[in-house]
Amino acid sequence: QLQASGGGLVQAGDSLRLSCVASGRSFEINRLGLGWFRQAPGKEREFVAAINRRSGITDLADSVKVRFAISRDNTRSTVYLQMNSLKPEDTAIYFCAATTRAIYSGLYYRVSDYDYWGQGTLVTVSS
């Protein structure tokens, strides 16, 4: 399973770091492609960031590319989303996700690419 944490209420311009721990015998963390998505009220879930199996390759949505960063620590079975210069439009529930179908260098952008989802952590950015 995936357990996300780190959300909260912050002001515009602040930073947050989200964490997501993968646990369970079926999870071999270094075989998983990992990602973060978010869902704002009344909107569809959207891609935020992805990282490949061994951390060498990442990608982020254009809306967050210069402000957010994704990283992973396979020794801790954890994926992170560092969010800087937060804006009110970043307000959403943030979900971590894992795919067991990942090839070594692959990045995955669609909700349907992922097999497992965390429960979500709420990020609220006030203006």
Side-chain angles (χ1 to χ4, degrees), residues 60-104:
L60 296 103
D62 288 343
S63 59
V64 304
K65 198 174 286 278
V66 297
R67 301 183 293 120
F68 291 11
I70 185 172
S71 61
R72 65 191 290 169
D73 183 346
N74 285 351
T75 66
R76 298 178 182 271
S77 298
T78 302
V79 60
Y80 303 98
L81 185 68
Q82 178 65 44
M83 305 187 295
N84 300 323
S85 302
L86 282 160
K87 302 176 180 181
E89 51 263 44
D90 295 319
T91 295
I93 300 174
Y94 283 72
F95 298 90
C96 57
T99 175
T100 59
R101 293 166 276 167
I103 62 173
Y104 184 83

Side-chain angles (χ1 to χ4, degrees), residues 16-70:
L16 278 176
R17 188 176 79 158
L18 306 183
S19 300
C20 178
V21 179
S23 61
R25 253 188 283 179
S26 62
F27 276 178
E28 296 182 50
I29 188 67
N30 60 358
R31 292 183 178 272
L32 300 176
L34 299 171
W36 287 95
F37 288 72
R38 67 186 181 185
Q39 189 165 16
K43 295 188 177 181
E44 292 188 350
R45 194 168 296 191
E46 65 174 4
F47 169 79
V48 175
I51 187 166
N52 77 322
R53 285 167 50 177
R54 297 292 180 93
S55 302
I57 302 173
T58 65
D59 200 8
L60 296 103
D62 288 343
S63 59
V64 304
K65 198 174 286 278
V66 297
R67 301 183 293 120
F68 291 11
I70 185 172

